[in-house]
Amino acid sequence: MRLFDDLADFSLAELDSLIELAGHLDRNPEPRALEGKVLSLLFLNPSLRTLASFQAAMVRLGGGSFVISPEMSIHGLESRDGIVMDGAAAEHIREAVPVIASYGDAIGVRAFAERDNLEDDLADRRFRELAALTDVPLINMESAINHPCQSLADWKTMDDLAMPKQGGRFVLSWAYHPLALPLAVPAATVHMAALRGMDVTVLRPDGFELPEAVMDKARAAAELSGGSVSETDDRREAMDGAHVIYAKSWSSTRHYGDQLGDQGLRQELVDWCVDEPWFENAKPDCRFMHCLPVRRGVVVADRILDGPRSVVIEEARNRMVAQMAVLYRMLKG
Ligand code: CP
């Protein structure tokens, strides 16, 4: 494997095999498997889980890693093309990426959406430009429109819980957040659940529809796997018989890149905070998922996060386990 960028690049058998390998490596540690291997980690945006889980995964497999981010004492990074660099930035990303990549056997890159232009972000333009600067094996650690590591971990988390594939009811719900957040996690999640063969409902208020390209990709995955994809703004309808609700906030695509327009819509939606009444007509053991970080009392009530429905810590731990499988396949040969 030379690229881990999108679950859509893999067959269902390959994904099952990766998840099986993740479980195997967790139960049967191989602390020398990647001896002498180095993973370069470039974070152009903040992280807790991705940063820590990749480093822990490499150590558990006997390899090493290093992290570069703009917050460290590196030279100021410039990413614009054709710029005269007479300001604060002393280093261009066009040199920085190949240099960082040259120190490792594979590179992970995190580059969030710029959220100026929806078409650019749907095409993952920024990540593609960074990817073109290196020819070592590459891992997408969250880009404008994808978060494959999170999706693989979430798939494994549902497998661990024996959550049904065909016939499993998965609700991806928009939740309130004071800021307009990127589309990467909702886009990756709706695709992942559809590819897993589940009946997926996107629950979102008016104005927060996911882009048609995202829904089309999820529908194609559902067709492949025997699942289905629908959307509604009716909470009761969405939650009927649900096995899991995955909460996430995202920006309004109707007002993409327009903070004022987005705020005008979202300020009326503070009651989109997941709480026990949401589960009234769901399966009694309906689970709560979230990629983290999550704002308590804003996105979800404390009693849900602290109660038996929540599997957010399991999801976060599975980040490390799933990434061990990706690194093993990428670096062991
Ligand atoms: N879920 C996730 O990617 O978390 P971080 O942003 O902390 O890495």
Side-chain angles (χ1 to χ4, degrees), residues 52-266:
S53 60
F54 265 110
Q55 292 177 94
M58 279 304 284
V59 169
R60 283 178 186 274
L61 291 170
S65 62
F66 67 90
V67 177
I68 296 291
S69 80
E71 284 69 41
M72 302 165 83
S73 57
I74 60 169
H75 307 287
L77 269 182
E78 177 60 69
S79 57
R80 291 169 294 177
D81 275 332
I83 195 99
V84 176
M85 289 173 57
D86 57 359
E91 174 122 32
H92 202 282
I93 202 85
R94 295 182 76 87
E95 285 77 53
V97 169
V99 167
I100 293 164
S102 75
Y103 299 143
D105 300 284
I107 184 169
V109 175
R110 168 165 281 198
F112 286 177
E114 289 171 319
R115 272 181 295 140
D116 291 331
N117 179 301
L118 181 58
E119 294 309 315
D120 280 351
D121 288 343
L122 287 172
D124 238 350
R125 186 186 58 80
R126 189 181 185 209
F127 185 79
R128 307 255 158 268
E129 286 174 1
L130 292 168
L133 297 173
T134 171
D135 56 7
V136 302
L138 173 71
I139 299 171
N140 180 335
M141 300 198 301
E142 189 174 340
S143 60
I145 204 65
N146 222 326
H147 198 352
C149 298
Q150 184 67 50
S151 287
L152 192 66
D154 290 338
W155 184 316
K156 181 178 183 303
T157 303
M158 288 192 280
D159 282 4
D160 292 348
L161 292 163
M163 201 170 284
K165 292 183 172 175
Q166 268 87 23
R169 290 186 53 80
F170 185 101
V171 177
L172 169 65
S173 179
W174 187 88
Y176 177 73
H177 190 287
L179 305 174
L181 297 183
L183 291 165
V185 170
T189 301
V190 68
H191 175 259
M192 175 276 296
L195 194 61
R196 196 172 176 272
M198 303 179 82
D199 294 320
V200 184
T201 303
V202 179
L203 170 62
R204 83 290 175 278
D206 197 35
F208 290 88
E209 300 81 6
L210 288 175
E212 218 28 56
V214 170
M215 294 299 283
D216 284 347
K217 181 179 170 187
R219 285 190 200 103
E223 204 160 302
L224 189 76
S225 306
S228 66
V229 178
S230 61
E231 60 180 327
T232 181
D233 60 1
D234 184 327
R235 189 174 301 157
R236 209 178 152 73
E237 175 192 324
M239 290 299 290
D240 191 19
H243 291 88
V244 59
I245 178 170
Y246 196 115
K248 188 73 186 79
S249 195
W250 58 85
S251 50
S252 166
T253 44
R254 196 180 290 174
H255 296 283
Y256 202 72
D258 165 14
Q259 282 292 339
L260 281 179
D262 184 293
Q263 282 300 331
L265 275 183
R266 78 176 51 235

Side-chain angles (χ1 to χ4, degrees), residues 43 45-53 110 112 141-142 147 150 185 246 290-293 316 319:
F43 283 90
N45 305 96
S47 170
L48 185 157
R49 277 142 292 275
T50 309
L51 180 70
S53 60
R110 168 165 281 198
F112 286 177
M141 300 198 301
E142 189 174 340
H147 198 352
Q150 184 67 50
V185 170
Y246 196 115
H290 191 285
C291 62
L292 303 182
R319 289 292 307 276

